[in-house]
Amino acid sequence: MITRITRSPRVASRLLGAGGVVAFPTETVYGLGADVFRPDAVEAIFRAKGRPQDNPLIVHVADTDQLARVAAQITPAAQLAMEAFFPGPLTVIVPRHPDLPLAVTAGLDTVGVRSPNHPVAQAFLRECDCPVAAPSANRSGRPSPTTWQAVSEELDGRVDAILKGGSSPIGLESTVIDCSRSCPVILRSGGISFEQLREVLPRIQLATGAVESEPARSPGMNHRHYAPTAQVQVVSGPHEVPPDQAATSAYIGLVGEGFTVKPHRVCVCTDLAEYARQLFRFFRTCEKAGVTRIYCQQVPETGLGHALMDRIRRAAEG
Ligand code: AMP
Ligand code: MG
Protein backbone atom coordinates (compact mmCIF):
# COMPACT_ATOMS: atom_id res chain seq x y z
CA MET A 1 0.00 0.00 0.00
CA ILE A 2 1.25 3.48 -0.85
CA THR A 3 0.71 5.98 1.95
CA ARG A 4 -0.43 9.32 0.64
CA ILE A 5 0.81 12.39 2.53
CA THR A 6 -1.49 15.38 2.32
CA ARG A 7 -2.20 18.77 3.84
CA SER A 8 -5.82 18.70 2.75
CA PRO A 9 -8.50 17.64 5.27
CA ARG A 10 -10.83 17.10 2.31
CA VAL A 11 -8.48 14.70 0.50
CA ALA A 12 -7.88 12.82 3.76
CA SER A 13 -11.61 12.60 4.51
CA ARG A 14 -12.36 11.25 1.02
CA LEU A 15 -9.88 8.44 1.54
CA LEU A 16 -11.48 7.68 4.90
CA GLY A 17 -14.93 7.79 3.33
CA ALA A 18 -13.80 5.18 0.81
CA GLY A 19 -13.01 2.79 3.66
CA GLY A 20 -9.39 3.78 4.21
CA VAL A 21 -7.40 4.35 7.39
CA VAL A 22 -6.03 7.86 7.76
CA ALA A 23 -3.66 9.36 10.34
CA PHE A 24 -4.49 12.90 11.45
CA PRO A 25 -3.10 15.47 13.91
CA THR A 26 -4.77 16.34 17.20
CA GLU A 27 -3.69 18.52 20.12
CA THR A 28 -2.69 15.41 22.13
CA VAL A 29 -0.95 13.08 19.63
CA TYR A 30 -1.58 11.92 16.04
CA GLY A 31 -4.50 9.50 15.69
CA LEU A 32 -5.15 6.72 13.17
CA GLY A 33 -8.75 7.00 12.05
CA ALA A 34 -11.47 5.01 10.31
CA ASP A 35 -15.25 5.35 9.85
CA VAL A 36 -16.78 3.76 12.97
CA PHE A 37 -19.56 2.22 10.87
CA ARG A 38 -17.17 0.28 8.59
CA PRO A 39 -16.00 -2.77 10.54
CA ASP A 40 -13.52 -3.68 7.77
CA ALA A 41 -11.82 -0.28 8.10
CA VAL A 42 -11.86 -0.50 11.90
CA GLU A 43 -10.28 -3.94 11.58
CA ALA A 44 -7.57 -2.39 9.37
CA ILE A 45 -6.62 -0.02 12.23
CA PHE A 46 -5.94 -3.00 14.51
CA ARG A 47 -3.91 -4.68 11.73
CA ALA A 48 -1.84 -1.59 10.89
CA LYS A 49 -0.93 -1.04 14.55
CA GLY A 50 -0.66 -4.66 15.62
CA ARG A 51 -3.09 -3.63 18.37
CA PRO A 52 -4.54 -6.33 20.66
CA GLN A 53 -8.20 -6.98 19.79
CA ASP A 54 -9.32 -6.44 23.38
CA ASN A 55 -8.23 -2.79 23.43
CA PRO A 56 -11.15 -0.46 22.56
CA LEU A 57 -10.79 2.58 20.26
CA ILE A 58 -11.69 6.15 21.15
CA VAL A 59 -14.38 7.66 18.91
CA HIS A 60 -13.71 11.20 17.67
CA VAL A 61 -16.66 13.48 16.96
CA ALA A 62 -17.01 16.96 15.48
CA ASP A 63 -20.32 17.84 17.13
CA THR A 64 -23.30 16.64 19.18
CA ASP A 65 -25.00 15.09 16.11
CA GLN A 66 -22.05 12.76 15.62
CA LEU A 67 -21.98 12.11 19.39
CA ALA A 68 -25.63 11.02 19.31
CA ARG A 69 -24.79 8.39 16.67
CA VAL A 70 -22.35 6.51 18.95
CA ALA A 71 -23.60 7.14 22.51
CA ALA A 72 -26.86 5.69 23.84
CA GLN A 73 -26.99 8.13 26.73
CA ILE A 74 -25.09 11.12 28.07
CA THR A 75 -25.06 10.65 31.82
CA PRO A 76 -25.19 13.75 34.09
CA ALA A 77 -21.47 13.45 34.91
CA ALA A 78 -20.61 13.06 31.21
CA GLN A 79 -22.71 16.12 30.41
CA LEU A 80 -20.83 18.26 32.95
CA ALA A 81 -17.43 17.01 31.75
CA MET A 82 -18.29 17.62 28.11
CA GLU A 83 -19.62 21.11 28.79
CA ALA A 84 -16.41 22.01 30.59
CA PHE A 85 -13.76 20.31 28.43
CA PHE A 86 -15.11 19.62 24.91
CA PRO A 87 -13.45 20.27 22.59
CA GLY A 88 -10.24 19.29 24.36
CA PRO A 89 -7.88 16.53 25.55
CA LEU A 90 -10.57 14.54 27.40
CA THR A 91 -12.17 11.19 26.52
CA VAL A 92 -15.49 10.46 28.21
CA ILE A 93 -16.81 6.92 28.52
CA VAL A 94 -20.58 6.59 28.21
CA PRO A 95 -23.03 3.79 27.32
CA ARG A 96 -22.59 2.60 23.71
CA HIS A 97 -25.24 3.20 21.05
CA PRO A 98 -26.67 -0.17 19.92
CA ASP A 99 -25.77 0.61 16.27
CA LEU A 100 -22.08 1.17 17.03
CA PRO A 101 -20.12 -1.90 15.87
CA LEU A 102 -18.60 -3.92 18.71
CA ALA A 103 -15.26 -4.01 16.86
CA VAL A 104 -14.81 -0.35 17.90
CA THR A 105 -15.41 -0.94 21.62
CA ALA A 106 -13.73 -4.36 21.77
CA GLY A 107 -17.05 -5.88 22.80
CA LEU A 108 -17.73 -3.43 25.67
CA ASP A 109 -21.17 -1.92 26.22
CA THR A 110 -19.55 1.50 26.63
CA VAL A 111 -17.77 3.86 24.25
CA GLY A 112 -15.04 6.45 24.81
CA VAL A 113 -15.78 9.71 22.96
CA ARG A 114 -13.61 12.73 22.37
CA SER A 115 -13.86 16.00 20.49
CA PRO A 116 -10.36 17.26 19.64
CA ASN A 117 -9.48 20.92 19.95
CA HIS A 118 -7.16 21.17 16.95
CA PRO A 119 -8.08 23.15 13.83
CA VAL A 120 -6.89 20.50 11.36
CA ALA A 121 -8.57 17.67 13.30
CA GLN A 122 -11.81 19.64 13.46
CA ALA A 123 -11.74 20.44 9.73
CA PHE A 124 -11.03 16.76 8.98
CA LEU A 125 -13.83 15.45 11.24
CA ARG A 126 -16.34 17.89 9.79
CA GLU A 127 -15.41 16.79 6.26
CA CYS A 128 -15.67 13.12 7.25
CA ASP A 129 -19.36 13.35 8.06
CA CYS A 130 -19.09 10.25 10.29
CA PRO A 131 -17.70 9.60 13.77
CA VAL A 132 -14.05 8.49 13.49
CA ALA A 133 -12.57 5.67 15.58
CA ALA A 134 -8.93 6.48 16.28
CA PRO A 135 -6.23 5.19 18.58
CA SER A 136 -2.78 6.79 18.58
CA ALA A 137 -1.00 6.38 15.20
CA ASN A 138 1.91 4.24 16.40
CA ARG A 139 2.71 0.53 16.30
CA SER A 140 1.23 -1.03 19.42
CA GLY A 141 3.45 -0.61 22.47
CA ARG A 142 5.53 2.20 20.97
CA PRO A 143 5.59 5.88 21.96
CA SER A 144 2.72 7.89 20.47
CA PRO A 145 3.65 10.06 17.45
CA THR A 146 3.51 13.82 17.91
CA THR A 147 4.59 14.75 14.35
CA TRP A 148 3.54 13.49 10.91
CA GLN A 149 7.13 12.36 10.31
CA ALA A 150 6.91 10.10 13.37
CA VAL A 151 3.65 8.63 12.02
CA SER A 152 5.39 8.01 8.72
CA GLU A 153 8.28 6.21 10.45
CA GLU A 154 5.79 3.98 12.29
CA LEU A 155 3.18 3.30 9.63
CA ASP A 156 4.42 4.14 6.13
CA GLY A 157 3.03 1.56 3.70
CA ARG A 158 0.50 0.33 6.27
CA VAL A 159 -2.08 3.16 6.14
CA ASP A 160 -3.86 4.96 3.31
CA ALA A 161 -2.90 8.52 4.20
CA ILE A 162 -1.29 10.87 6.67
CA LEU A 163 -2.85 14.31 7.13
CA LYS A 164 -0.10 16.79 8.00
CA GLY A 165 -0.70 19.34 10.74
CA GLY A 166 2.42 20.37 12.61
CA SER A 167 3.53 18.94 15.93
CA SER A 168 0.94 18.15 18.60
CA PRO A 169 0.91 20.99 21.15
CA ILE A 170 0.19 18.82 24.23
CA GLY A 171 2.25 15.77 23.29
CA LEU A 172 0.56 13.31 25.70
CA GLU A 173 -2.71 11.44 25.19
CA SER A 174 -6.15 12.50 26.41
CA THR A 175 -7.38 11.90 29.95
CA VAL A 176 -9.89 9.02 29.94
CA ILE A 177 -12.77 9.22 32.43
CA ASP A 178 -15.50 6.66 32.92
CA CYS A 179 -18.86 8.39 33.31
CA SER A 180 -20.96 5.31 32.54
CA ARG A 181 -21.47 4.36 36.19
CA SER A 182 -22.64 6.14 39.33
CA CYS A 183 -19.26 7.58 40.35
CA PRO A 184 -16.91 9.05 37.70
CA VAL A 185 -13.41 7.53 37.63
CA ILE A 186 -10.20 8.57 35.87
CA LEU A 187 -8.93 5.51 33.99
CA ARG A 188 -5.97 7.24 32.32
CA SER A 189 -4.39 10.55 33.23
CA GLY A 190 -3.66 12.95 30.38
CA GLY A 191 -4.11 16.45 29.00
CA ILE A 192 -6.84 17.44 31.49
CA SER A 193 -5.64 17.14 35.08
CA PHE A 194 -7.29 15.55 38.12
CA GLU A 195 -7.42 19.01 39.71
CA GLN A 196 -9.26 20.49 36.69
CA LEU A 197 -11.73 17.61 36.64
CA ARG A 198 -12.41 17.83 40.36
CA GLU A 199 -13.64 21.40 39.97
CA VAL A 200 -16.40 20.17 37.69
CA LEU A 201 -16.93 16.67 39.13
CA PRO A 202 -16.13 16.90 42.88
CA ARG A 203 -16.71 13.14 43.40
CA ILE A 204 -14.30 12.00 40.68
CA GLN A 205 -11.65 9.50 41.74
CA LEU A 206 -8.40 8.23 40.30
CA ALA A 207 -8.54 4.55 39.38
CA THR A 208 -6.86 2.68 42.20
CA GLY A 209 -5.83 -0.95 42.65
CA ALA A 210 -9.34 -1.57 43.94
CA VAL A 211 -10.91 -0.25 40.76
CA GLU A 212 -8.46 -2.05 38.51
CA SER A 213 -9.50 -5.36 40.04
CA GLU A 214 -12.90 -4.85 38.45
CA PRO A 215 -13.11 -6.87 35.23
CA ALA A 216 -11.59 -5.06 32.26
CA ARG A 217 -12.70 -1.57 33.15
CA SER A 218 -10.03 -0.15 30.84
CA PRO A 219 -8.42 -3.06 29.03
CA GLY A 220 -5.80 -0.91 27.31
CA MET A 221 -4.15 0.09 30.55
CA ASN A 222 -2.81 -3.42 31.09
CA HIS A 223 -0.91 -3.52 27.83
CA ARG A 224 2.74 -2.63 27.26
CA HIS A 225 2.98 1.04 26.31
CA TYR A 226 5.03 4.01 25.19
CA ALA A 227 8.34 2.12 25.06
CA PRO A 228 11.19 3.29 22.81
CA THR A 229 13.98 0.87 21.84
CA ALA A 230 16.26 2.51 24.42
CA GLN A 231 15.82 1.65 28.07
CA VAL A 232 14.04 4.33 30.10
CA GLN A 233 14.96 5.07 33.71
CA VAL A 234 13.58 7.58 36.23
CA VAL A 235 16.09 9.81 38.10
CA SER A 236 15.64 12.63 40.59
CA GLY A 237 18.04 14.89 38.66
CA PRO A 238 21.25 15.14 36.59
CA HIS A 239 23.42 14.14 39.62
CA GLU A 240 21.85 10.67 39.47
CA VAL A 241 22.84 10.05 35.83
CA PRO A 242 25.75 7.55 35.85
CA PRO A 243 28.92 8.96 34.26
CA ASP A 244 29.90 5.70 32.55
CA GLN A 245 28.24 5.15 29.15
CA ALA A 246 27.54 8.88 28.84
CA ALA A 247 28.29 8.53 25.13
CA THR A 248 25.27 6.25 24.64
CA SER A 249 22.87 7.76 27.14
CA ALA A 250 20.45 10.70 27.18
CA TYR A 251 18.59 12.85 29.69
CA ILE A 252 15.36 14.85 29.68
CA GLY A 253 14.05 16.97 32.54
CA LEU A 254 13.52 20.41 34.02
CA VAL A 255 16.96 20.73 35.64
CA GLY A 256 19.98 20.85 33.32
CA GLU A 257 22.89 21.39 35.71
CA GLY A 258 24.79 18.90 37.87
CA PHE A 259 25.90 16.03 35.60
CA THR A 260 29.14 14.26 36.51
CA VAL A 261 29.56 13.62 32.79
CA LYS A 262 27.08 15.15 30.37
CA PRO A 263 25.15 12.48 28.39
CA HIS A 264 25.21 12.36 24.57
CA ARG A 265 21.76 13.96 24.27
CA VAL A 266 20.24 16.38 26.78
CA CYS A 267 16.81 18.03 26.62
CA VAL A 268 16.17 20.68 29.28
CA CYS A 269 12.55 21.83 29.37
CA THR A 270 11.35 25.19 30.71
CA ASP A 271 8.20 23.79 32.36
CA LEU A 272 5.93 20.74 32.65
CA ALA A 273 4.03 21.58 29.47
CA GLU A 274 7.24 21.62 27.45
CA TYR A 275 8.43 18.40 29.12
CA ALA A 276 5.14 16.74 28.08
CA ARG A 277 5.36 18.14 24.56
CA GLN A 278 8.93 16.94 24.09
CA LEU A 279 8.91 13.53 25.81
CA PHE A 280 7.81 11.17 23.01
CA ARG A 281 9.63 13.22 20.40
CA PHE A 282 12.84 13.01 22.43
CA PHE A 283 12.43 9.23 22.73
CA ARG A 284 12.41 9.03 18.93
CA THR A 285 15.36 11.40 18.50
CA CYS A 286 17.32 9.24 20.94
CA GLU A 287 16.47 6.03 19.06
CA LYS A 288 17.83 7.53 15.86
CA ALA A 289 20.97 8.73 17.63
CA GLY A 290 21.70 5.19 18.84
CA VAL A 291 21.11 6.03 22.51
CA THR A 292 20.62 2.92 24.65
CA ARG A 293 19.51 4.50 27.94
CA ILE A 294 17.24 7.52 28.51
CA TYR A 295 17.16 9.10 31.97
CA CYS A 296 13.95 11.02 32.72
CA GLN A 297 13.77 13.43 35.61
CA GLN A 298 11.01 12.74 38.09
CA VAL A 299 8.48 15.57 38.61
CA PRO A 300 5.78 16.12 41.27
CA GLU A 301 2.59 14.30 40.34
CA THR A 302 0.23 17.25 40.28
CA GLY A 303 -1.38 18.84 37.23
CA LEU A 304 0.19 17.60 34.00
CA GLY A 305 2.94 15.99 36.13
CA HIS A 306 0.60 13.10 36.87
CA ALA A 307 0.19 12.12 33.22
CA LEU A 308 3.85 12.74 32.51
CA MET A 309 5.03 10.40 35.29
CA ASP A 310 2.46 7.79 34.22
CA ARG A 311 3.92 7.70 30.68
CA ILE A 312 7.52 7.72 31.89
CA ARG A 313 6.89 4.83 34.30
CA ARG A 314 5.13 2.76 31.66
CA ALA A 315 7.92 3.45 29.19
CA ALA A 316 10.40 2.34 31.86
CA GLU A 317 8.47 -0.90 32.47
CA GLY A 318 8.43 -1.62 28.71
P1 AMP B 1 -5.24 5.06 22.66
O1 AMP B 1 -6.34 5.50 21.77
O2 AMP B 1 -4.33 4.06 22.05
O3 AMP B 1 -4.49 6.23 23.22
O4 AMP B 1 -5.91 4.33 23.90
C1 AMP B 1 -7.22 4.59 24.31
C2 AMP B 1 -7.38 4.23 25.76
O5 AMP B 1 -8.75 4.41 26.13
C3 AMP B 1 -7.03 2.79 26.05
O6 AMP B 1 -6.39 2.72 27.30
C4 AMP B 1 -8.39 2.12 26.07
O7 AMP B 1 -8.40 0.93 26.82
C5 AMP B 1 -9.25 3.21 26.69
N1 AMP B 1 -10.66 3.06 26.30
C6 AMP B 1 -11.24 3.35 25.10
N2 AMP B 1 -12.55 3.04 25.12
C7 AMP B 1 -12.82 2.55 26.34
C8 AMP B 1 -14.00 2.03 26.97
N3 AMP B 1 -15.18 1.96 26.33
N4 AMP B 1 -13.89 1.59 28.24
C9 AMP B 1 -12.72 1.66 28.91
N5 AMP B 1 -11.56 2.13 28.37
C10 AMP B 1 -11.61 2.56 27.10
MG1 MG C 1 -2.10 4.51 22.19
Side-chain angles (χ1 to χ4, degrees):
M1 173 191 300
I2 290 178
T3 300
R4 186 142 167 207
I5 301 197
T6 177
R7 260 190 198 289
S8 162
R10 178 161 293 170
V11 168
S13 72
R14 284 209 187 116
L15 290 165
L16 184 134
V21 288
V22 174
F24 62 99
T26 83
E27 74 276 29
T28 57
V29 301
Y30 273 67
L32 181 62
D35 180 343
V36 290
F37 296 114
R38 297 184 73 133
D40 50 331
V42 170
E43 176 55 37
I45 292 180
F46 283 89
R47 263 203 316 276
K49 285 185 56 105
R51 184 173 175 103
Q53 295 286 345
D54 67 346
N55 196 358
L57 308 180
I58 291 171
V59 175
H60 294 67
V61 297
D63 52 41
T64 47
D65 289 348
Q66 288 189 358
L67 178 61
R69 296 178 69 191
V70 298
Q73 181 200 348
I74 305 301
T75 60
Q79 183 69 37
L80 288 170
M82 289 174 180
E83 276 167 16
F85 302 111
F86 274 22
L90 181 72
T91 297
V92 180
I93 292 170
V94 290
R96 174 183 68 90
H97 193 289
D99 293 345
L100 181 66
L102 284 166
V104 174
T105 65
L108 298 177
D109 55 6
T110 56
V111 58
V113 288
R114 176 163 119 75
S115 182
N117 183 18
H118 185 290
V120 180
Q122 288 178 348
F124 171 65
L125 291 172
R126 273 196 306 271
E127 292 277 354
C128 281
D129 218 28
C130 63
V132 172
S136 50
N138 50 278
R139 299 286 195 107
S140 196
R142 300 258 309 138
S144 300
T146 57
T147 62
W148 73 264
Q149 292 93 335
V151 178
S152 174
E153 285 161 21
E154 293 277 314
L155 296 173
D156 187 44
R158 303 176 72 88
V159 301
D160 294 280
I162 301 172
L163 175 58
K164 285 195 203 181
S167 60
S168 297
I170 295 178
L172 299 180
E173 298 80 358
S174 62
T175 304
V176 178
I177 63 171
D178 186 353
C179 291
S180 70
R181 307 187 196 188
S182 56
C183 186
V185 172
I186 300 176
L187 299 181
R188 176 177 77 183
S189 58
I192 299 288
S193 70
F194 179 44
E195 293 83 352
Q196 284 172 291
L197 283 163
R198 216 169 31 188
E199 281 183 25
V200 177
L201 300 169
R203 289 171 63 218
I204 198 162
Q205 287 171 7
L206 279 163
T208 61
V211 173
E212 273 158 16
S213 68
E214 288 180 33
R217 185 137 181 194
S218 189
M221 297 311 286
N222 302 326
H223 295 296
R224 180 177 174 274
H225 257 109
Y226 316 119
T229 50
Q231 216 171 348
V232 173
Q233 201 173 316
V234 181
V235 292
S236 62
H239 62 279
E240 244 180 63
V241 175
D244 55 326
Q245 297 165 3
T248 54
S249 56
Y251 165 90
I252 181 168
L254 299 174
V255 176
E257 303 284 309
F259 295 107
T260 312
V261 179
K262 206 171 170 186
H264 179 51
R265 293 259 165 182
V266 173
C267 179
V268 183
C269 307
T270 48
D271 54 24
L272 280 183
E274 199 201 343
Y275 195 167
R277 193 158 52 238
Q278 297 292 346
L279 183 74
F280 289 147
R281 198 175 183 172
F282 187 65
F283 282 177
R284 289 174 188 279
T285 310
C286 289
E287 283 184 348
K288 283 188 222 145
V291 164
T292 56
R293 226 169 238 281
I294 305 171
Y295 296 95
C296 299
Q297 189 194 358
Q298 191 164 12
V299 294
E301 292 186 45
T302 54
L304 199 53
H306 198 275
L308 192 53
M309 286 312 299
D310 171 73
R311 304 305 188 271
I312 292 171
R313 275 206 203 91
R314 286 170 189 279
E317 283 164 14

